[in-house]
Amino acid sequence: MRDAMFMGRLTAGATHEMQNILATIRESAGLMEDLLALGGEGFVHAERFKKGLGVLAEQVERGMNLSEQLNYCAHATEPAPAGADVNEAMRSLVGLTRRNAARRRVSLVLAQGRTGLRTGLRALEAMGLAGLALDCCLGLLAAGAQLVLAVEEQGGLAVVRLDGPSYEALRAQPDFAELEQCARTLRAGLCAGPGGQGLALSLPKPVA
Amino acid sequence: MNKQDWKILLVDDEHEFITTLAERLELRGIAARVVFDGESALLAVAQDEPHVMVLDVLMPGIKGLEVLERVKRSNPRVQVLLLTGHGSTRDGIEGMRLGAFDYMMKPLSIDTLIEKMESAIDYAGKAANLGQ
Amino acid sequence: MRKLAALIKHPLRELTSDVDDAVSPERYTTLRRNIIALMVAATLIPLSVMAVLNYYEHQNAMAREIQNPLRVLVNKTKNSFELFLAERTSTVSLIASAYTYAELADEQKLARIFSVMKREFEGFVDLGLIDEHGTQVNYVGPYALAGKNYADQRWFQEVRLKGKYVSDVFMGLRKFPHVIIAVQHMTEDGRTWILRATLDTRQFERIIASMSLEPDADAFLVNTQGLLQTSSNNYGKVLEKLTFPLPPLTFEPTVLTMIDPLGREVFLAYAYFPEADFVLMAAKPRSSSLKTWYTVRGDLLFIFVAGVALVLFAAMRVTDALIRRMKEAEDRRELALREVEHSQKLSSIGRLAAGVAHEVNNPLAIINEKTGLMKDILSIQPDFPAKEKLLVQVDSVLRAVERCRGITHRMLGFARRMDVSIEELDLTELIRETAGFLANEAMHRKVDVQLDLDPELPRIVSDRSQLQQVFLNLLNNALAAVADGGSIMVSAQPDEAGVLVSVKDNGCGMSDETMKHIFEPFFTTKKGKGTGLGLSITYGIIKRLGGDIAVESTQGVGTTLTITLPKGQREALA
C-alpha cells in the first residue's frame, strides 16, 4: 500500500505535467490555425495542414482524457475520510478498461446509475474489485457483445452490477477465485445478479 | 535495393497514426501498404510478401505477437519491426525471441524507423545470400 | 466426557493450534464456551468440594457445640439429683443412728425431730419408725399410718437386705407423687429398726427447672421400667409410661439423635443413676438447637452462591477479554494480510495504470506523426508568409511530444517497480539469448560480439525480464558506441557475493564529464537512436535487484560496464 501510494503521488505529479504539456500542444495547434488563417496565402497544402491540426486537437483531447483518468487513479490510492464516490470510481474504471475490452471486441458501457453513492473502500480498492469482476465477465463474452456496468443502491449500500454471462459460468472462470478472495478481504458482498445473470458487488459503507 | 523498391506493410489499429506514418514514408519515397488488424495483415502478407512489416503489438483480434509468429512460420523472409507502447520491453523482448528483427516504442522517430527498415532489408539480403 | 477430558488434557489446545485456520465466528463461540467451562470447572470444583466439606464440618461442630452443653447439663443435673437423694438419705440415716430406738419410738420426740428435718431440708412429707418385723411403730406425718405393717412390701425386704432404699415415685394417698427413703439401723446389741421418710417430688421438679431449658426443650426423670418420675412436657405425665423406649444403659451422660414420638428430630441427652433406679433425660429439638447453624448455613450458602456468581462473572469477563484480544490480533493479522493483498491488487491496478500510460502514447504517437507530416508538408512547400512561424509551432509541438514521452517513460518506470517477478535463472543462457537478439545488427555492422561466460557460473535468483532488459540496454549501448567492425566482449564470472558481468567495447569511450552523468535519467549521447531506455533505468533495475553497476571508460579506447548481482534476493523488493 505504501508502494502504491508512492506510485500514486508520482503518477499524480506526472499526469499533471502531462496535462500541461498537452495544453501547450493545444495552444500551438490553435496558434497554427490562426497563423494559417492570417498568412496562409500561397500555401498549397493548407487544407491538408488544417486537417492535421484538427487531428492534433482531437488527439490532445484524447490524451487529456486518459491523463485525467490516470490522475484519478493516482489519487484513488488515498483513503477518503468521507468515503470514495462509487460512480466516479466506476467511470474511471470503465474508462481505463474500455480499450482492453475493445481489444476483445466487447463494448463496455457504464449505465446511467445512482450518483452520490459512497463506499468506505478506497477508490482504487473499489476499482480493483470491480476490475476483477470485469475480467471474469470479459473472459466469457463473445465478440460484439456489450457489457453494462451499473451503480445502484440497495439498502443504503452501493452495489455495482454487471449485466453479463450467467453467474454459474462466471464462477467457473479462473479469475473468480481471486475475485471472491478480494471481495472477502475488502468485506464486500458478492452474489449473482437478478435472474442468475451477471453479478452484483455490494461495497461496504463509509465508516463515518 | 533502392528505397523506391521497398515493400513495406504497416499494421496498427490506430488509423490516424498508421495512415499518417504511411503518408510521411510516401513523402520520403517509400511505398507502404496499411492494414488495421492482424487478420488483414496475414492476408496482405499472403497476397504480396513485403520486405518489412511494421507491426503493432497491441491490437484487437489476433494479437501482434501471434501475427508475428504466424508470419515467421509462413514467410520467414519478412523482417518484422515491432511497435510497442513505451516501456513495454517485455513484449519487445518476447517479440525478438519469436524472431522479430527489432522493436521500437511509440512515439517513434521516422528517421530511426527508416534506418531500422534499411538494416532489416540489408540483413535479409545478406541472409538470403548466405542461404544460397 | 471425552471432550472434557481432552480439554483438560490440553486446556489451551484451542488457543495454540490452528492459528492459521480461518477463524469463523462459530469457532469463537465454541472457544469462548470451552474457556468459560474450563475456568468455571477449575474454580467451582474446588470451591464446591470446600463448601460441602465445610458444610459438614460446620454442621458437626455446631452439633457438638449443641450436644456438649446438653450433656454437661444432664450430668450436672444428674449430680444434683444424686446429691439431693444422698443428702436426704444421709439425713435419714443420721437420724436413725443418732437416736436410740426408744427416743425414736417416742411420739413427741419423733415429731420434734421431724419438724427440725422439715426446717432444715425441704421436701420431707412424713417420717416413720418401723421395727424389724415391719410394723410402723411410730409415725409423724399427715397420714394415720401408725401400726401399719410393711413386712410383705418389696421396699421393706430391700431395705432389710441393702440397708438403704430409695423408692420410685409413686402416688401417695393424697394423690401426690412421692418418693420413699428408708434406712435400716442396726445397734451393736443386734436390735434393728428402720426409719422411713417420704419426700414429695416437687423437689425433683425444682431441680429440673433449675436446668433452665428453652421452652421447646424437655427434661424429666424416668425409672428403669420406663415410667415417668417427673412430668414431661411432651412425653407424658408423671407415672405414665414414657412414650418411647429407653435408651441403652450408660452411667456416663450420653447424647443421641432420634426422632421422638411427636415426629421431631431431637437430641436426647440421658444418664442412668448408678445408686438409684432413675434415668435423667433431656430432649432438645434439633431444629431449635441448630437455629444458629441454620443461619450459618444460610450465610454459607449465600457466600457459595455469591462466589459462584462471581466466578462465572469473572470467567465471562476474562474470557471475553481474552477472546476480544484474540479477535483483535486476528483482525490485525487479517488487516496486515489485507494490506499485502492490497499491494498485490494495487500492483495490478499499477499495471492498469501502466496500460493507461501506454494508451497515452497512442495519441502522442498520432500527434507526433501528424505534426511530422505537417512539418514534411511545410518543408516541401515554397515560402509563404506564415511558413516560418508555422515551423516554429510545429517544432514546439514535436518538442512537447518528446517531453510527454519522457513523462510516460518515467511513469512506466514506477509501474515496473510494482511488477517484479523473481525466479531462479541461468545467467549464461540469459546473456546468450539477449546477445542473440542483437546478432542481426552486429552481423550487419560486422561487429564482433564475444561471449566469455564461465560454465561454473552459479544460478541466481532474480527477475528474468528485467535482467534481460539490462543486458539488452548494455549491449545496445555498446553497439551504438563501437564503429562498424568493432568488438564487444561480454564476460561473466562468479564473484564472492554472486556474479560479475562486464560488457566491454572498443568504441569511442566517453569523457569524464559524460561519465558523471551517465546514470542520470534521460541522459543520452545517442541522437535519435536506440530503444530510448538510458543507463538510468539500467541503474535503477540493478539497484533494485540488489546489485551494483560501475563504469570505466577512456575516450577513444573504449568503455567497460561492470555489473555485480547477488545470488539471491537479499532484500525485499520494496
Side-chain angles (χ1 to χ4, degrees):
Chain A
M1 187 49 92
R2 217 180 50 236
D3 228 17
M5 283 179 77
F6 173 69
M7 188 198 148
R9 274 206 303 283
L10 292 178
T11 310
T15 49
H16 187 72
E17 207 179 327
M18 194 145 66
Q19 280 175 335
N20 282 343
I21 298 169
L22 286 168
T24 316
I25 296 175
R26 187 162 54 195
E27 288 318 303
S28 288
L31 182 58
M32 282 192 271
E33 242 171 279
D34 294 347
L35 287 171
L36 218 54
L38 292 172
E41 308 91 32
F43 187 14
V44 186
H45 297 289
E47 276 315 304
R48 219 168 144 194
F49 199 94
K50 245 185 200 160
K51 226 180 100 193
L53 287 176
V55 171
L56 239 59
E58 262 168 42
Q59 297 303 321
V60 164
E61 230 30 67
R62 188 175 153 198
M64 284 280 201
N65 275 334
L66 283 167
S67 101
E68 262 162 34
Q69 278 162 11
L70 206 56
N71 195 37
Y72 180 81
C73 253
H75 288 298
T77 51
E78 294 152 21
D85 188 302
V86 178
N87 233 49
E88 256 177 50
M90 290 308 119
R91 194 179 313 121
S92 174
L93 176 70
V94 167
L96 291 171
T97 325
R98 190 168 276 140
R99 248 189 86 89
N100 192 14
R103 247 173 242 128
R104 292 168 188 265
R105 309 234 161 120
V106 171
S107 62
L108 191 58
V109 180
L110 178 65
Q112 274 299 349
R114 270 277 272 118
T115 52
L117 287 173
R118 295 185 166 270
T119 173
L121 297 179
R122 294 166 198 227
L124 200 59
E125 291 172 333
M127 288 167 71
L129 185 64
L132 276 170
L134 277 177
D135 284 350
C136 284
C137 290
L138 284 177
L140 279 172
L141 290 171
Q146 197 186 50
L147 181 57
V148 180
L149 189 148
V151 179
E152 293 167 353
E153 189 195 329
Q154 259 169 38
L157 287 180
V159 173
V160 175
R161 210 156 57 76
L162 276 164
D163 286 330
S166 84
Y167 192 64
E168 278 315 303
L170 284 172
R171 288 178 69 94
Q173 283 291 97
D175 286 344
F176 197 82
E178 198 186 343
L179 172 64
E180 270 184 322
Q181 167 89 24
C182 184
R184 205 163 41 240
T185 48
L186 294 179
R187 307 201 192 292
L190 168 65
C191 63
Q197 293 298 302
L199 55 81
L201 292 163
S202 48
L203 307 179
K205 273 188 211 173
V207 185
Chain B
M1 203 192 305
N2 283 327
K3 281 182 187 172
Q4 284 76 16
D5 301 328
W6 290 0
K7 274 193 280 181
I8 307 291
L9 178 64
L10 305 177
V11 191
D12 195 343
D13 63 317
E14 284 283 350
H15 293 224
E16 202 66 60
F17 170 77
I18 207 72
T19 47
T20 310
L21 190 63
E23 212 173 324
R24 291 187 76 191
L25 288 174
E26 211 178 320
L27 281 174
R28 285 161 178 77
I30 299 166
R33 190 177 167 189
V34 177
V35 292
F36 303 121
D37 56 52
E39 289 88 340
S40 316
L42 290 174
L43 209 65
V45 171
Q47 280 169 358
D48 185 11
E49 191 184 89
H51 295 117
V52 174
M53 175 163 81
V54 179
L55 179 64
D56 191 37
V57 176
L58 283 176
M59 279 188 300
I62 308 179
K63 300 261 176 314
L65 289 181
E66 199 186 328
V67 174
L68 164 68
E69 226 177 335
R70 281 161 75 167
V71 165
K72 272 291 166 189
R73 230 181 298 137
S74 62
N75 305 62
R77 277 181 302 179
V78 176
Q79 297 303 317
V80 180
L81 290 173
L82 288 175
L83 292 180
T84 69
H86 203 120
S88 60
T89 2
R90 221 167 264 254
D91 282 344
I93 288 167
E94 180 61 23
M96 290 184 76
R97 208 197 301 273
L98 294 173
F101 181 79
D102 206 344
Y103 69 91
M104 277 171 294
M105 291 173 189
K106 283 183 183 177
L108 43 81
S109 129
I110 191 148
D111 297 327
T112 313
L113 177 67
I114 293 169
E115 256 175 59
K116 297 239 176 190
M117 285 176 175
E118 201 169 357
S119 298
I121 288 167
D122 221 24
Y123 168 76
K126 283 187 182 124
N129 286 339
L130 280 172
Q132 276 167 6
Chain C
M1 200 61 214
R2 251 174 55 207
K3 207 177 153 190
L4 187 71
L7 199 66
I8 285 163
K9 210 167 161 191
H10 288 294
L12 297 179
R13 179 181 44 124
E14 294 275 348
L15 303 181
T16 51
S17 68
D18 305 333
V19 173
D20 282 330
D21 272 2
V23 179
S24 59
E26 298 87 66
R27 188 170 159 256
Y28 276 127
T29 316
T30 322
L31 195 58
R32 185 168 180 275
R33 206 183 52 219
N34 286 349
I35 294 175
I36 291 180
L38 191 70
M39 286 174 79
V40 166
T43 43
L44 284 195
I45 289 173
L47 185 66
S48 306
V49 168
M50 225 168 70
V52 169
L53 285 181
N54 217 320
Y55 179 87
Y56 283 108
E57 271 304 304
H58 220 97
Q59 196 180 30
N60 285 341
M62 288 302 273
R64 275 197 303 279
E65 286 283 295
I66 305 288
Q67 289 173 10
N68 278 340
L70 200 61
R71 186 183 294 122
V72 169
L73 190 63
V74 163
N75 198 31
K76 230 170 77 189
T77 312
K78 188 193 98 181
N79 287 343
S80 299
F81 269 110
E82 281 175 337
L83 192 66
F84 174 82
L85 290 171
E87 226 169 41
R88 300 301 183 274
T89 313
S90 61
T91 306
V92 175
S93 186
L94 183 73
I95 292 163
S97 57
Y99 297 90
T100 60
Y101 182 79
E103 283 169 322
L104 292 172
D106 178 347
E107 215 169 300
Q108 282 182 344
K109 190 117 190 173
L110 192 68
R112 215 174 47 244
I113 291 167
F114 179 62
S115 73
V116 172
M117 252 172 82
K118 265 180 87 169
R119 206 170 53 241
E120 289 300 317
F121 302 99
E122 272 179 291
F124 284 110
V125 176
D126 61 9
L127 185 66
L129 178 70
I130 294 140
D131 68 12
E132 59 199 306
H133 308 293
T135 310
Q136 184 137 284
V137 182
N138 199 359
Y139 173 79
V140 191
Y143 315 114
L145 294 174
K148 193 173 189 297
N149 192 293
Y150 294 109
D152 53 352
Q153 290 207 358
R154 205 176 62 87
W155 69 267
F156 181 75
Q157 283 148 19
E158 202 161 316
V159 80
R160 289 283 288 161
L161 209 68
K162 287 187 186 165
K164 234 183 237 174
Y165 170 75
V166 179
S167 80
D168 289 349
V169 174
F170 67 96
M171 276 302 173
L173 294 170
R174 285 204 328 199
K175 298 288 164 211
F176 208 82
H178 289 99
V179 174
I180 296 165
I181 295 175
V183 177
Q184 174 181 256
H185 185 74
M186 280 175 147
T187 56
E188 279 112 42
D189 54 2
R191 267 200 83 134
T192 303
W193 65 84
I194 291 152
L195 206 58
R196 175 183 179 274
T198 308
L199 284 168
D200 76 49
T201 53
R202 262 198 308 253
Q203 290 303 314
F204 286 13
E205 310 282 355
R206 211 166 291 153
I207 290 170
I208 282 169
S210 73
M211 287 169 84
S212 40
L213 292 165
E214 278 128 57
D216 58 345
D218 199 358
F220 46 88
L221 214 54
V222 193
N223 70 5
T224 47
Q225 277 80 52
L227 288 176
L228 280 162
Q229 304 294 292
T230 60
S231 282
S232 156
N233 293 341
N234 301 310
Y235 309 117
K237 293 281 163 233
V238 69
L239 290 178
E240 283 175 3
K241 184 85 178 159
L242 185 65
T243 49
F244 57 88
L246 282 175
L249 183 131
T250 162
F251 298 112
E252 277 303 303
T254 306
V255 182
L256 47 82
T257 325
M258 60 165 233
I259 307 291
D260 73 1
L262 302 178
R264 301 178 306 168
E265 203 179 4
V266 292
F267 288 120
L268 181 73
Y270 70 95
Y272 283 77
F273 286 47
E275 299 292 325
D277 195 17
F278 293 139
V279 188
L280 179 67
M281 287 188 177
K284 199 171 181 181
R286 216 184 136 95
S287 55
S288 75
S289 57
L290 287 178
K291 212 167 263 163
T292 40
W293 156 240
Y294 289 131
T295 50
V296 167
R297 193 174 66 175
D299 290 351
L300 210 69
L301 196 72
F302 173 76
I303 289 170
F304 180 74
V305 168
V308 168
L310 203 69
V311 162
L312 281 177
F313 178 72
M316 306 262 255
R317 287 295 296 265
V318 168
T319 308
D320 280 351
L322 201 68
I323 295 280
R324 201 169 48 243
R325 284 281 183 81
M326 276 178 71
K327 252 185 184 156
E328 274 168 15
E330 201 76 36
D331 284 351
R332 267 202 300 282
R333 199 168 62 99
E334 204 174 304
L335 203 70
L337 221 67
R338 208 179 127 176
E339 283 281 298
V340 169
E341 275 179 38
H342 274 186
S343 311
Q344 282 166 2
K345 279 305 94 67
L346 288 174
S347 80
S348 77
I349 276 288
R351 246 171 274 148
L352 202 61
V356 182
H358 279 168
E359 291 302 326
V360 174
N361 279 320
N362 280 318
L364 279 182
I366 294 170
I367 291 168
N368 193 44
E369 289 318 306
K370 260 302 177 237
T371 316
L373 179 65
M374 292 188 317
K375 195 179 174 181
D376 293 347
I377 294 169
L378 277 180
S379 46
I380 56 169
Q381 175 75 26
D383 278 357
F384 65 97
K387 181 177 174 180
E388 282 312 310
K389 283 181 178 170
L390 282 172
L391 269 175
V392 170
Q393 286 311 312
V394 162
D395 280 335
S396 131
V397 170
L398 286 175
R399 270 199 312 277
V401 168
E402 199 53 42
R403 271 172 68 204
C404 255
R405 187 155 88 145
I407 292 162
T408 51
H409 174 159
R410 228 158 63 215
M411 237 154 54
L412 288 162
F414 316 142
R416 251 196 314 276
R417 266 175 58 90
M418 320 280 300
D419 203 14
V420 184
S421 65
I422 296 302
E423 60 187 308
E424 194 186 293
L425 51 90
D426 179 356
L427 212 52
T428 317
E429 179 229 309
L430 188 87
I431 293 170
R432 230 182 268 285
E433 187 186 83
T434 314
F437 293 162
L438 295 167
N440 295 343
E441 195 183 341
M443 193 178 90
H444 171 55
R445 288 182 45 207
K446 297 188 179 66
V447 174
D448 178 24
V449 180
Q450 281 187 36
L451 302 180
D452 173 22
L453 309 172
D454 192 324
E456 298 298 308
L457 208 61
R459 291 172 75 82
I460 65 166
V461 175
S462 204
D463 185 293
R464 183 185 186 86
S465 128
Q466 299 225 8
L467 277 183
Q468 205 152 33
Q469 193 184 333
V470 165
F471 292 129
L472 202 61
N473 282 351
L474 294 185
L475 287 170
N476 239 333
N477 281 332
L479 265 179
V482 297
D484 287 5
S487 77
I488 295 169
M489 163 75 108
V490 182
S491 63
Q493 295 126 33
D495 180 57
E496 4 174 307
V499 178
L500 204 113
V501 183
S502 64
V503 178
K504 184 179 176 183
D505 68 60
N506 65 348
C508 51
M510 54 184 114
S511 65
D512 288 354
E513 188 56 30
T514 308
M515 259 208 286
K516 261 187 225 164
H517 300 293
I518 187 168
F519 294 128
E520 283 173 11
F522 313 120
F523 180 85
T524 180
T525 51
K526 296 177 285 182
K527 296 277 185 284
K529 263 188 141 191
T531 52
L533 291 173
L535 274 171
S536 68
I537 295 283
T538 304
Y539 182 81
I541 293 172
I542 291 297
K543 279 289 178 192
R544 200 157 55 247
L545 294 177
D548 209 351
I549 183 166
V551 63
E552 237 176 277
S553 185
T554 315
Q555 229 163 352
V557 176
T559 304
T560 307
L561 277 151
T562 307
I563 289 170
T564 46
L565 283 170
K567 269 187 209 131
Q569 280 307 118
R570 271 171 308 183
E571 42 167 24
L573 295 153

